[in-house]
Amino acid sequence: MPAQILVVEDDIDINRVVTMNLNDAHYRVDSAHCGKKALQMVRKKSFDLIVLDRMLPEVDGLDICRQLREDKNFTPILMLTARDSEADRIVGLEMGADDYLTKPFSIGELQARIKALLRRANTFLPNPASTEEVIEYGAMRIYPLSRTVKISSQDIELTSKEFDLLLYMARHPGQVFSRTQLLDEVWNYQFSGYEHTVNSHINRLRAKIESTPTKPEYVQTVWGVGYRFQQPTP
């Protein structure tokens, strides 16, 4: 089945052009012109990807992104913005957006970003047809299908990106990743200058999974290189 995409854009002309071109690319497309309507649609219907404008009437794109992640909705989000500053991009990524595209943009680049996000969804989004896989390290249990983590039978509440980061590293134990590599693999973001986004997520992840965050057992720093996931010593 073609992917189901929701386009959320209040500019009628941009919405129409994006929707038309995605339909021509054989996606199934719904559209909304305000944030409130978009939230209602997402909570009633399942989408494979959301193209989300940042500046929207009633509920803006950042609030939509935050609310969906709080609702445990992990649908990939490609955020559109007229703002090109580093701070704006970082805020969007911190709120849970998976990629960022600055206006004006070409339809070719939009479609390329969408294809990349849909490919990555097979890695990080649950597949209901899959048998539950359990990744075990010491007292930690990671359940990719239900996107839950337990340590000593206690549920650990992680954000979408914290879970993606932990899952990716846990699937490659002992491998050292630079911040740029993690930004590319987990955020699908291939630009330098945003490595501190990785740092802040690592710090928050450690605060939740490590008994002593300043002396981490699981997510360890490799000085001058990056981070690695290490099985704790028995």
Side-chain angles (χ1 to χ4, degrees):
M1 290 288 292
Q4 181 77 56
I5 296 176
L6 174 62
V7 176
V8 188
E9 167 63 65
D10 65 323
D11 185 300
I12 295 175
D13 291 332
I14 294 177
N15 193 315
R16 183 186 301 115
V17 169
V18 170
T19 298
M20 178 183 67
N21 279 273
L22 293 182
N23 276 319
D24 288 344
H26 306 295
Y27 294 111
R28 294 174 294 153
V29 186
D30 290 342
S31 68
H33 296 91
C34 72
K36 183 178 180 180
K37 177 64 174 178
L39 276 175
Q40 292 172 348
M41 294 174 68
V42 172
R43 287 167 174 165
K44 290 180 179 179
K45 183 176 180 179
S46 177
F47 292 93
D48 298 299
L49 184 139
I50 302 170
V51 178
L52 179 63
D53 187 30
R54 174 168 176 171
M55 303 299 292
L56 292 166
E58 298 186 10
V59 183
D60 71 21
L62 290 179
D63 282 337
I64 291 174
C65 193
R66 177 182 54 78
Q67 289 185 45
L68 292 181
R69 296 320 188 213
E70 288 177 354
D71 291 345
K72 304 299 182 183
N73 184 319
F74 304 112
T75 303
I77 295 175
L78 172 58
M79 188 164 283
L80 306 178
T81 181
R83 300 178 178 180
D84 194 27
S85 73
E86 178 181 352
D88 287 312
R89 291 174 181 267
I90 290 172
V91 169
L93 294 173
E94 293 284 337
M95 285 292 184
D98 297 278
D99 200 359
Y100 229 85
L101 191 55
T102 304
K103 300 175 183 177
F105 54 85
S106 70
I107 292 298
E109 182 177 8
L110 174 69
Q111 292 184 352
R113 298 286 186 99
I114 287 173
K115 287 180 181 178
L117 286 173
L118 290 173
R119 282 197 303 268
R120 292 181 55 76
N122 293 327
T123 301
F124 291 113
L125 288 179
N127 180 356
S130 299
T131 302
E132 179 74 290
E133 167 194 8
V134 182
I135 300 174
E136 301 185 21
Y137 290 104
M140 180 185 292
R141 304 288 184 273
I142 304 173
Y143 302 87
L145 181 60
S146 57
R147 295 179 65 88
T148 57
V149 177
K150 295 180 182 290
I151 297 180
S152 299
S153 300
Q154 180 180 353
D155 290 328
I156 306 298
E157 291 293 329
L158 300 180
T159 66
S160 173
K161 274 296 175 280
E162 289 167 358
F163 182 86
D164 288 347
L165 182 60
L166 175 62
L167 178 61
Y168 184 77
M169 296 184 71
R171 281 178 167 165
H172 303 85
Q175 184 173 342
V176 180
F177 295 99
S178 69
R179 293 165 180 80
T180 302
Q181 286 175 309
L182 290 174
L183 196 62
D184 183 17
E185 295 293 339
V186 178
W187 279 264
N188 191 37
Y189 216 67
Q190 302 174 349
F191 297 93
S192 61
Y194 298 90
E195 289 84 356
H196 46 291
T197 296
V198 177
N199 296 346
S200 63
H201 277 76
I202 289 285
N203 290 337
R204 289 198 293 268
L205 181 60
R206 283 173 171 167
K208 295 178 180 182
I209 68 172
E210 304 284 0
S211 57
T212 307
T214 56
K215 296 180 180 180
E217 293 183 282
Y218 295 106
V219 181
Q220 299 180 348
T221 299
V222 180
W223 296 108
V225 183
Y227 302 100
R228 69 179 170 208
F229 184 92
Q230 189 67 40
Q231 183 172 0
T233 303

